[in-house]
Coordinates of all heavy atoms in Angstrom, one line a residue:
T1 N 86.3 126.4 39.0 CA 86.4 127.7 39.7 C 87.8 128.3 39.7 O 88.1 129.3 40.4 CB 85.9 127.6 41.2 OG1 86.6 126.6 41.8 CG2 84.4 127.3 41.2
G2 N 88.7 127.7 39.0 CA 90.1 128.2 38.8 C 91.1 128.0 39.9 O 92.2 128.5 39.9
L3 N 90.7 127.1 40.9 CA 91.7 126.8 42.0 C 92.7 125.8 41.5 O 93.8 125.7 42.0 CB 90.9 126.2 43.2 CG 89.9 127.1 43.9 CD1 89.2 126.4 45.0 CD2 90.6 128.4 44.4
L4 N 92.3 125.0 40.4 CA 93.3 124.1 39.7 C 93.2 124.4 38.2 O 92.2 125.0 37.8 CB 92.9 122.7 40.0 CG 93.0 122.2 41.4 CD1 92.5 120.7 41.5 CD2 94.5 122.2 41.9
R5 N 94.2 124.0 37.5 CA 94.2 124.2 36.1 C 94.4 122.8 35.4 O 95.2 122.0 35.8 CB 95.4 125.1 35.6 CG 95.4 125.4 34.1 CD 96.3 126.5 33.8 NE 96.2 126.8 32.3 CZ 96.7 127.9 31.8 NH1 97.2 128.9 32.6 NH2 96.6 128.1 30.5
P6 N 93.5 122.5 34.4 CA 93.6 121.2 33.8 C 94.9 120.9 33.0 O 95.5 121.9 32.5 CB 92.4 121.2 32.9 CG 92.1 122.6 32.6 CD 92.5 123.4 33.8
D7 N 95.3 119.7 33.0 CA 96.4 119.3 32.1 C 95.9 119.3 30.6 O 96.7 119.7 29.8 CB 96.9 117.9 32.4 CG 97.4 117.8 33.8 OD1 98.0 118.8 34.3 OD2 97.3 116.7 34.4
E8 N 94.7 118.9 30.4 CA 94.1 118.9 29.1 C 92.6 119.2 29.2 O 92.0 119.1 30.3 CB 94.2 117.5 28.5 CG 95.7 117.0 28.3 CD 95.7 115.5 27.9 OE1 94.7 115.0 27.5 OE2 96.8 114.9 28.0
G9 N 92.1 119.6 28.1 CA 90.6 119.9 28.0 C 90.3 121.3 28.2 O 91.1 122.2 28.4
D10 N 89.0 121.6 28.1 CA 88.5 123.0 28.2 C 87.3 123.1 29.1 O 86.5 122.1 29.3 CB 88.1 123.5 26.8 CG 88.1 125.0 26.7 OD1 88.5 125.7 27.6 OD2 87.6 125.5 25.6
I11 N 87.1 124.3 29.7 CA 85.9 124.6 30.5 C 85.3 125.8 29.9 O 86.0 126.9 29.9 CB 86.4 124.8 32.0 CG1 87.1 123.6 32.5 CG2 85.1 125.2 32.8 CD1 87.9 124.0 33.8
R12 N 84.1 125.8 29.5 CA 83.5 126.9 28.8 C 82.2 127.3 29.6 O 81.4 126.5 29.9 CB 83.2 126.6 27.4 CG 84.4 126.4 26.5 CD 84.1 126.2 25.1 NE 83.2 125.1 24.8 CZ 83.5 123.8 24.7 NH1 84.8 123.5 24.8 NH2 82.6 122.9 24.5
L13 N 82.0 128.6 29.8 CA 80.8 129.2 30.3 C 80.2 130.0 29.2 O 80.8 131.0 28.7 CB 81.1 130.1 31.5 CG 79.9 130.8 32.1 CD1 79.0 129.7 32.8 CD2 80.3 131.8 33.1
D14 N 79.0 129.6 28.7 CA 78.3 130.3 27.6 C 79.3 130.4 26.4 O 79.3 131.4 25.7 CB 77.9 131.7 28.0 CG 76.7 131.7 29.0 OD1 75.9 130.8 28.9 OD2 76.7 132.6 29.9
G15 N 80.0 129.3 26.2 CA 80.9 129.2 25.0 C 82.2 129.8 25.1 O 83.1 129.7 24.2
T16 N 82.5 130.5 26.2 CA 83.8 131.2 26.4 C 84.7 130.4 27.4 O 84.2 130.1 28.5 CB 83.6 132.6 26.9 OG1 82.8 133.3 26.0 CG2 84.9 133.3 27.1
S17 N 85.9 130.1 27.0 CA 86.8 129.3 27.9 C 87.1 130.1 29.2 O 87.4 131.3 29.2 CB 88.1 129.0 27.1 OG 88.9 128.2 27.9
L18 N 87.2 129.3 30.3 CA 87.6 129.8 31.6 C 89.0 129.4 32.0 O 89.5 129.9 33.0 CB 86.6 129.4 32.6 CG 85.1 129.7 32.4 CD1 84.3 129.1 33.6 CD2 84.9 131.2 32.4
V19 N 89.6 128.5 31.2 CA 90.9 128.0 31.6 C 91.9 129.1 31.6 O 92.1 129.9 30.7 CB 91.3 126.9 30.6 CG1 92.7 126.4 30.9 CG2 90.4 125.7 30.6
G20 N 92.6 129.2 32.7 CA 93.7 130.2 32.9 C 93.2 131.4 33.7 O 94.0 132.2 34.1
L21 N 91.9 131.6 33.8 CA 91.4 132.7 34.6 C 91.5 132.5 36.1 O 91.4 131.4 36.6 CB 89.9 132.9 34.3 CG 89.6 133.3 32.8 CD1 88.1 133.6 32.7 CD2 90.3 134.6 32.4
R22 N 91.7 133.6 36.8 CA 91.8 133.5 38.3 C 90.4 133.3 38.9 O 89.4 133.7 38.2 CB 92.6 134.7 38.8 CG 94.0 134.8 38.4 CD 94.7 136.1 38.8 NE 94.8 136.1 40.3 CZ 95.8 135.5 41.0 NH1 96.8 134.9 40.3 NH2 95.9 135.6 42.3
P23 N 90.3 132.8 40.1 CA 89.0 132.6 40.7 C 88.1 133.8 40.7 O 86.9 133.6 40.4 CB 89.4 132.1 42.1 CG 90.7 131.4 41.9 CD 91.4 132.2 40.9
H24 N 88.6 135.0 41.0 CA 87.8 136.1 41.1 C 87.2 136.5 39.7 O 86.1 137.0 39.6 CB 88.5 137.3 41.7 CG 89.5 137.9 40.9 ND1 90.8 137.5 40.8 CD2 89.5 139.0 40.0 CE1 91.5 138.2 39.9 NE2 90.7 139.1 39.4
A25 N 88.0 136.2 38.7 CA 87.5 136.5 37.3 C 86.4 135.6 36.9 O 85.5 135.9 36.2 CB 88.7 136.5 36.3
I26 N 86.5 134.3 37.4 CA 85.5 133.3 37.1 C 84.2 133.7 37.8 O 83.1 133.6 37.3 CB 86.0 131.9 37.4 CG1 87.1 131.6 36.5 CG2 84.9 130.9 37.4 CD1 87.8 130.3 36.8
V27 N 84.3 134.1 39.1 CA 83.1 134.6 39.8 C 82.4 135.7 39.1 O 81.2 135.8 38.9 CB 83.5 135.0 41.2 CG1 82.3 135.7 41.9 CG2 83.9 133.8 42.1
S28 N 83.2 136.7 38.6 CA 82.6 137.8 37.9 C 81.9 137.5 36.6 O 81.1 138.2 36.2 CB 83.7 138.9 37.7 OG 84.6 138.5 36.7
R29 N 82.3 136.3 36.1 CA 81.7 135.9 34.8 C 80.4 135.1 35.1 O 79.7 134.8 34.2 CB 82.6 135.0 34.0 CG 83.6 135.9 33.2 CD 84.8 135.1 32.7 NE 85.7 135.9 31.8 CZ 86.5 136.9 32.2 NH1 86.5 137.2 33.5 NH2 87.2 137.6 31.4
G30 N 80.1 134.8 36.4 CA 78.8 134.2 36.7 C 78.8 132.8 37.3 O 77.8 132.1 37.2
I31 N 79.9 132.4 37.9 CA 79.9 131.1 38.6 C 80.2 131.3 40.1 O 81.1 132.0 40.4 CB 81.0 130.1 38.0 CG1 80.6 129.8 36.6 CG2 81.1 128.9 38.9 CD1 81.6 128.8 35.9
A32 N 79.3 130.8 40.9 CA 79.5 130.8 42.4 C 79.5 129.4 42.9 O 78.9 128.5 42.4 CB 78.4 131.7 43.0
R33 N 80.1 129.3 44.1 CA 80.2 127.9 44.7 C 80.1 128.0 46.2 O 80.3 129.0 46.8 CB 81.5 127.2 44.3 CG 82.7 127.6 45.1 CD 83.9 126.8 44.8 NE 83.8 125.4 45.4 CZ 84.8 124.5 45.3 NH1 85.9 124.8 44.7 NH2 84.7 123.4 45.9
T34 N 79.6 126.9 46.8 CA 79.8 126.7 48.2 C 80.7 125.5 48.4 O 81.1 124.8 47.5 CB 78.4 126.4 48.9 OG1 77.9 125.1 48.4 CG2 77.4 127.4 48.6
F35 N 81.1 125.3 49.7 CA 82.1 124.3 50.0 C 81.6 123.2 50.9 O 80.6 123.5 51.7 CB 83.4 125.0 50.7 CG 84.1 125.9 49.7 CD1 83.7 127.2 49.6 CD2 85.2 125.4 49.0 CE1 84.4 128.0 48.7 CE2 85.9 126.2 48.2 CZ 85.5 127.6 48.0
Q36 N 82.2 122.0 50.8 CA 81.8 120.9 51.7 C 82.0 121.3 53.2 O 81.1 121.1 54.0 CB 82.6 119.7 51.4 CG 82.3 118.5 52.2 CD 83.1 117.3 51.8 OE1 83.8 117.3 50.9 NE2 83.0 116.2 52.6
S37 N 83.1 122.0 53.5 CA 83.3 122.5 54.8 C 82.9 124.0 54.8 O 83.4 124.8 54.0 CB 84.8 122.4 55.3 OG 85.2 121.1 55.3
I38 N 82.0 124.4 55.6 CA 81.4 125.8 55.6 C 82.6 126.8 55.8 O 83.4 126.7 56.7 CB 80.4 125.9 56.7 CG1 79.2 125.0 56.5 CG2 79.9 127.4 56.8 CD1 78.2 125.0 57.6
R39 N 82.6 127.8 54.9 CA 83.6 128.8 55.0 C 83.0 130.2 55.0 O 83.1 131.0 54.1 CB 84.5 128.7 53.7 CG 85.2 127.4 53.6 CD 86.2 127.3 52.5 NE 86.8 126.0 52.3 CZ 87.8 125.7 51.5 NH1 88.2 126.6 50.7 NH2 88.3 124.5 51.4
L40 N 82.4 130.5 56.2 CA 81.8 131.8 56.4 C 82.8 132.6 57.2 O 83.8 132.1 57.8 CB 80.5 131.6 57.3 CG 79.3 130.9 56.6 CD1 78.2 130.7 57.6 CD2 78.8 131.7 55.4
F41 N 82.5 133.9 57.2 CA 83.3 134.8 58.1 C 82.6 134.8 59.4 O 81.6 135.5 59.7 CB 83.4 136.2 57.5 CG 84.1 136.3 56.2 CD1 83.4 136.3 55.0 CD2 85.5 136.3 56.2 CE1 84.1 136.3 53.8 CE2 86.2 136.3 55.0 CZ 85.5 136.4 53.8
Q42 N 83.1 133.9 60.3 CA 82.3 133.6 61.5 C 82.1 134.8 62.5 O 81.1 134.8 63.2 CB 83.1 132.4 62.3 CG 83.1 131.1 61.5 CD 81.8 130.4 61.4 OE1 80.9 130.7 62.2 NE2 81.7 129.5 60.5

């Protein structure tokens, strides 16, 4: 999800690399996540 950047290797969504993209750009490409600790706008 772009919160960290790998030292090596690649991450591809539908064949397109996501490495170096910011989190909002990764979301817009079609990846969403939830968290272990709930992060709602309470």
Side-chain angles (χ1 to χ4, degrees):
T1 55
L3 297 178
L4 296 172
R5 184 164 183 166
D7 297 329
E8 301 172 12
D10 199 8
I11 304 164
R12 296 187 300 278
L13 181 70
D14 292 325
T16 301
S17 179
L18 302 178
V19 174
L21 295 181
R22 296 176 66 85
H24 72 273
I26 292 172
V27 170
S28 69
R29 280 162 173 77
I31 295 180
R33 78 175 287 184
T34 65
F35 292 84
Q36 182 178 352
S37 300
I38 294 173
R39 299 187 184 183
L40 296 172
F41 296 99
Q42 296 287 344

